[in-house]
Amino acid sequence: MSSRGLWADVALRAAWARQDWAAILREYRRAAGLSQRDLEPYVGMPQPHISAIESGRRQVTSAEVRARITEGLRVPPELTMAARRPDLDDWAPPVELRERIAHGHVTGRTDLRTADWIGEVLAQHRRAEDEIGGLDLWPVVRSQLDAVTLLIPGTTGPAADRLMLLAAEHAHWLSWVAWQEQRTGPALAWIDVAHGWAVDGGHTDMASWVHRIRSYYSLRHGDPVRALRTAEAARLTVGLSPAAASVAAHQAAAAAAALSERERARRLADEALELALQVPEESDRPGWLYWLNPTRAMLQSADAAYACRDWQAAADGMRAALPGLTGYPRDHAYYQARLEDAQRRV
């Protein structure tokens, strides 16, 4: 595997974001399949020194040693300019990002290989969210967004639109992490930025998805009226793919159930399940909906039944589908708790 390919490894990128030099060496060796002795020519230090760093007996404090490791392990540019975890004032979208977007569609040609690479890495971040916390990866994703937006002023036409989508995906990810860290204002700011970029780039699925996320935030914040209004805006976006329409309908069902509009919620939940089952293959869904397979669609339908207090339907649906949910420990725990509660209520 190439050095750049190794740096797609999420655990390795998270170690870099923490500037944990012991973990950087360990994770690089794991990803590359190298021994400590194999690593000697990469970092220009003997195996005993590498062992001392990895064990914590020796700290990397010298700028020269850090530079040697950075160069030897070929750390990608979007990581070398990554900042540390956000401080209190660093959560919100900075003005310069919007300035770069404002200068999009200038006539020019941009090499999109960097964007392709960053898109692949973002997909890895999504899939690793259950195992590696978003806060550790924040500076990495924030730096990736810088790299993407810096390309936009030199692009035009479809290339610029493609970069807009990638920027919107990053902004959505940052919003989600900010929300989980209870930074409500920045979470809303990032999701608004993501929506604007999605609309500017003509990406209806992403524009709908960020409306859906905003609806989720409102529902969790105890405002089902606003949640239903926003979910309906997501659902009624013109030109949606079946997968994007499915998640919007499911969110509208959850909001309707919270307002005790149970018949409306059931109808929307049935619509969501039918749409999701039209695209069982991951390749037929937007990248951020990689998880919406038939198992997940059936669990969401059962979850809507739970929200409508249809305890038997909820228990039956979750009991049937839950064994098929693998690789998502947090979501598995969520549905398992729902199943147990529904069974008690039955």
Side-chain angles (χ1 to χ4, degrees), residues 15-306:
W16 177 267
R18 299 192 305 271
Q19 291 290 277
D20 183 341
W21 295 92
I24 290 168
L25 295 180
R26 283 197 304 271
E27 296 295 350
Y28 188 92
R29 289 197 304 103
R30 173 192 57 76
L34 300 175
S35 67
Q36 289 180 345
R37 194 165 298 281
D38 293 333
L39 199 63
E40 289 180 346
Y42 289 76
V43 296
M45 64 180 71
Q47 183 273 332
H49 287 189
I50 294 172
S51 176
I53 292 171
E54 291 190 8
S55 67
R57 290 180 285 111
R58 179 179 178 182
Q59 301 300 313
V60 178
T61 57
S62 162
E64 187 272 333
V65 173
R66 294 185 179 196
R68 191 191 314 159
I69 294 173
T70 301
E71 182 178 347
L73 301 187
R74 297 182 180 274
V75 180
E78 77 275 3
L79 291 185
T80 58
M81 62 182 183
R84 298 301 304 275
R85 285 183 173 191
D87 295 323
L88 289 177
D89 297 331
D90 295 336
W91 285 94
V95 173
E96 67 264 20
L97 290 180
R98 304 185 190 215
E99 287 292 334
R100 293 171 197 163
I101 300 294
H103 291 89
H105 292 269
V106 173
T107 301
R109 297 177 62 84
T110 297
D111 187 343
L112 294 181
R113 284 177 293 185
T114 297
D116 291 340
W117 155 250
I118 291 175
E120 291 174 12
V121 171
L122 182 62
Q124 296 285 348
H125 292 339
R126 291 192 197 104
R127 294 172 186 268
E129 190 183 350
D130 266 345
E131 288 77 28
I132 298 177
L135 190 58
D136 278 346
L137 291 171
W138 174 284
V140 174
V141 176
R142 179 66 185 79
S143 186
Q144 289 172 194
L145 177 57
D146 271 332
V148 171
T149 56
L150 283 168
L151 295 173
I152 289 177
T155 57
T156 187
D161 292 342
R162 187 169 146 209
L163 291 173
M164 291 278 191
L165 175 60
L166 188 54
E169 290 184 65
H170 278 75
H172 156 257
W173 193 96
L174 293 167
S175 171
W176 183 250
V177 174
W179 175 265
Q180 290 177 318
E181 295 296 321
Q182 299 181 347
R183 306 286 179 178
T184 307
L188 292 173
W190 279 113
I191 209 67
D192 287 347
V193 166
H195 183 262
W197 291 347
V199 171
D200 281 355
H203 301 288
T204 54
D205 279 356
M206 175 53 71
S208 172
W209 171 249
V210 295
H211 269 325
R212 182 264 182 197
I213 295 297
R214 231 183 185 287
S215 171
Y216 174 84
Y217 292 166
S218 295
L219 190 59
R220 294 289 300 214
H221 201 61
D223 191 346
V225 172
R226 184 172 296 174
L228 182 57
R229 183 187 307 146
T230 313
E232 283 295 334
R235 192 171 72 88
L236 299 177
T237 303
V238 176
L240 291 183
S241 69
S246 173
V247 291
H250 172 71
Q251 183 61 32
L259 290 168
S260 298
E261 296 186 26
R262 295 179 185 172
E263 287 306 314
R264 182 179 183 180
R266 293 185 185 100
R267 184 180 73 254
L268 288 165
D270 289 343
E271 177 184 318
L273 179 60
E274 180 182 349
L275 286 164
L277 294 178
Q278 291 177 21
V279 282
E281 300 300 324
E282 184 179 335
S283 58
D284 294 328
R285 303 189 294 269
W288 58 92
L289 296 181
Y290 67 91
W291 48 269
L292 189 62
N293 56 28
T295 293
R296 186 63 72 98
M298 289 186 283
L299 284 169
Q300 287 195 336
S301 180
D303 201 38
Y306 182 97

